[in-house]
Amino acid sequence: MAKKVLIIDDSITQLSSLKIFFKRAGFDVETAQNGVEGFIKVYKTAPDLIISDVLMPHLGGFQLCRLLKSNPETKQIPIIMLTILDKKLDKFWASQSGANRFIQKDSDFQNIIGIAEDTIKEFPVSSRYKDLLGTFEFDEDGIISQINKILDDALMKSTITNEFRNLTDYTSDDKVIAEKIFKILSTIIEYETACIYFHSPDSTIKKRLIFDVQNCHLKKSAFLDIWRQMLPSCVSDFEIETINENNGEIIIESADEFQSRKEFEFFCKDNLIGKVYFYSTKNIEWNKLKFMPTAKSELDLYLRLKFLYVKTCYLSITDELTKLYTRRHLDSVLNQEFERAKRYGTIISVAMADIDNFKYINDTYGHQAGDYILKEVSKIFTDTLRKTDFVYRYGGEEICILMPETSLPNVVMPLERIRKNIKNKVFLFNGHQIKVTISIGATTYSKDMRVPSDLIEKSDVALYKAKKSGKNKVIIENE
């Protein structure tokens, strides 16, 4: 059976010429002189291929193509755009409209027919699909309203995309980012409560759950329910923050009171980088929300960019071996905390630690063993100290601890715990049991200090005393 081609062109001369050549090539040919007539004939004739001019009055070729490709009953029919335009921008819009091919009008007729035959083979339309096409009823007077709807949808998608792309200016303040994300999402999703979590590559940073509470009052028990559903781990590892909390009339005691909920997880190379939960007191068919796929796709792209940016910044201030912060990062934070202590009278303590007999370990068991010990000792420091403390590889086997808002009496206990944990641990490397101890010296800010390095020097003096007095000690320098 001959394949049917529908040719749409407002030029009678061009239309007649194409009709003759396609008939000679054995095609069944239908024609239309404008886009509206062409749209109607698609339903009436069920063609195997549509060839359309781009420049036509009332309904242009790009608009017609977009209209046909947006309708489920016509989207499988391949379309070739035929035009005198040859700029890259024209080809771009042809592809964006959904066209399968783009051919110059002055192309050789045999070339056009060859491309048409190849297109029909590549995108075959089944007989069942064509039979179903003839059963659809539509209002011929409503074609323009369909076009307007498609254009409105395209504008909405473009707006959502642009709003998310604008978020790239914000990568550091999670609360500001969450507020802007929920501002976008609340325009397309109806919910009372939503929650977002951004995963950081820096495990020392306290995790934050940021809630958008718009039209209800969440009790603490409901917050905890949602938290457990999102990230089932230790509560103390997280901070809960809220935005847009207006204490609405609906009081929610438990997350189970919501009628519907939706979860989205976002990954970058199999690493979880973020989660978003939506909760509504209404029954929502989430899969029918028109712009949800666009929003999810754009949020996924943004979270990937944010994670990679944060990871790059983190790696630039992190020691590759120990995963502790670098001395460069220490200089920045210490300066900041020192100035804060001088101006506002806050407390800051600093400790210097050194692995005892580290050269002996390297000489006896090898430098790989030394690296292993250094990594394990560093992990004991980060696991024992608070999330608000900063741990640095100061150089070689030396570790520096910066403890904001911590007086000397409160410094001793965690440092002693670290010392005992290291002393009591048996480090195993290549079948060898290696015993390790550590010496620590600490001090705190005093008004007679002039520069941040005074804190380092004073804690170094305490460390020297610990070493000289037998090692495996914590010495406090408070004079």
Side-chain angles (χ1 to χ4, degrees), residues 347 349 386 389 403 405-415:
I347 304 169
S349 295
R386 305 169 302 177
D389 298 326
M403 308 171 78
E405 302 294 341
T406 310
S407 61
L408 278 182
N410 294 323
V411 165
V412 176
M413 187 178 295
L415 294 182

Side-chain angles (χ1 to χ4, degrees), residues 51 53 107 150 180 225 290 306 344-345 436 439 457 467:
I51 298 177
D53 188 17
S107 296
I150 290 170
K180 291 184 178 296
D225 280 349
K290 183 185 295 184
K306 178 182 184 300
Y344 302 108
V436 179
S439 299
E457 290 176 8
K467 290 282 191 182

Side-chain angles (χ1 to χ4, degrees), residues 46-61:
D48 295 284
L49 174 68
I50 300 167
I51 298 177
S52 175
D53 188 17
V54 169
L55 300 177
M56 295 185 294
H58 307 305
L59 183 63

Side-chain angles (χ1 to χ4, degrees), residues 160-378:
I160 293 170
T161 298
N162 288 337
E163 289 295 318
F164 273 106
R165 302 292 164 88
N166 289 337
L167 287 178
T168 53
D169 293 335
Y170 307 91
T171 52
S172 56
D173 191 326
D174 285 353
K175 194 168 184 178
V176 171
I177 294 167
E179 192 166 8
K180 291 184 178 296
I181 287 174
F182 286 131
K183 184 177 180 180
I184 301 170
L185 295 176
S186 63
T187 63
I188 59 175
I189 305 171
E190 189 176 352
Y191 61 85
E192 277 73 40
T193 299
C195 184
I196 193 166
Y197 161 69
F198 305 110
H199 176 69
S200 172
D202 187 351
S203 60
T204 64
I205 295 177
K206 199 172 183 71
K207 301 177 179 68
R208 301 165 75 187
L209 295 184
I210 303 172
F211 284 80
D212 181 23
V213 185
Q214 295 198 1
N215 301 308
C216 68
H217 178 73
L218 277 185
K219 294 290 188 178
K220 185 178 180 180
S221 54
F223 276 115
L224 292 176
D225 280 349
I226 294 172
W227 163 76
R228 289 189 183 96
Q229 290 172 7
M230 283 193 71
L231 300 156
S233 57
C234 183
V235 177
S236 61
D237 288 343
F238 291 85
E239 291 179 350
I240 291 178
E241 299 183 65
T242 59
I243 57 176
N244 298 327
E245 189 169 12
N246 60 13
N247 294 325
E249 295 181 359
I250 303 172
I251 299 176
I252 303 294
E253 297 276 358
S254 165
D256 293 334
E257 295 179 35
F258 291 106
Q259 294 296 309
S260 57
R261 67 192 69 181
K262 183 66 176 178
E263 171 192 2
F264 293 109
E265 291 185 324
F266 300 92
F267 294 87
C268 182
K269 295 182 179 178
D270 298 326
N271 296 314
L272 178 68
I273 59 175
K275 273 192 175 186
V276 182
Y277 262 78
F278 298 99
Y279 290 83
S280 176
T281 55
K282 302 177 180 63
N283 284 314
I284 296 178
E285 295 184 73
W286 301 96
N287 60 330
K288 292 187 178 180
L289 294 178
K290 183 185 295 184
F291 300 109
M292 179 71 90
T294 301
K296 183 176 181 294
S297 175
E298 290 300 322
L299 182 56
D300 179 64
L301 176 61
Y302 171 73
L303 290 181
R304 286 168 180 262
L305 292 173
K306 178 182 184 300
F307 179 78
L308 292 173
Y309 172 80
V310 173
K311 186 176 181 179
T312 300
C313 294
Y314 169 68
L315 290 176
S316 71
I317 57 171
T318 307
D319 176 62
E320 185 176 358
L321 175 65
T322 62
K323 307 307 177 187
L324 301 180
Y325 290 126
T326 61
R327 188 166 174 174
R328 171 184 163 192
H329 184 254
L330 168 65
D331 294 339
S332 173
V333 178
L334 183 59
N335 286 340
Q336 178 181 316
E337 292 296 329
F338 187 86
E339 290 302 319
R340 197 158 68 93
K342 281 180 63 177
R343 178 171 296 185
Y344 302 108
T346 57
I347 304 169
I348 177 175
S349 295
V350 171
M352 293 293 293
D354 186 83
I355 298 174
D356 297 328
N357 305 313
F358 192 70
K359 184 177 185 300
Y360 171 80
I361 293 173
N362 276 329
D363 291 345
T364 305
Y365 303 104
H367 286 279
Q368 288 185 335
D371 287 348
Y372 163 74
I373 296 295
L374 193 51
K375 285 193 291 185
E376 291 297 305
V377 166
S378 298

Side-chain angles (χ1 to χ4, degrees), residues 381-395:
F381 270 88
T382 55
D383 288 346
T384 307
L385 293 169
R386 305 169 302 177
K387 296 290 184 182
T388 52
D389 298 326
F390 298 88
V391 188
Y392 302 89
R393 184 179 183 185
Y394 193 74

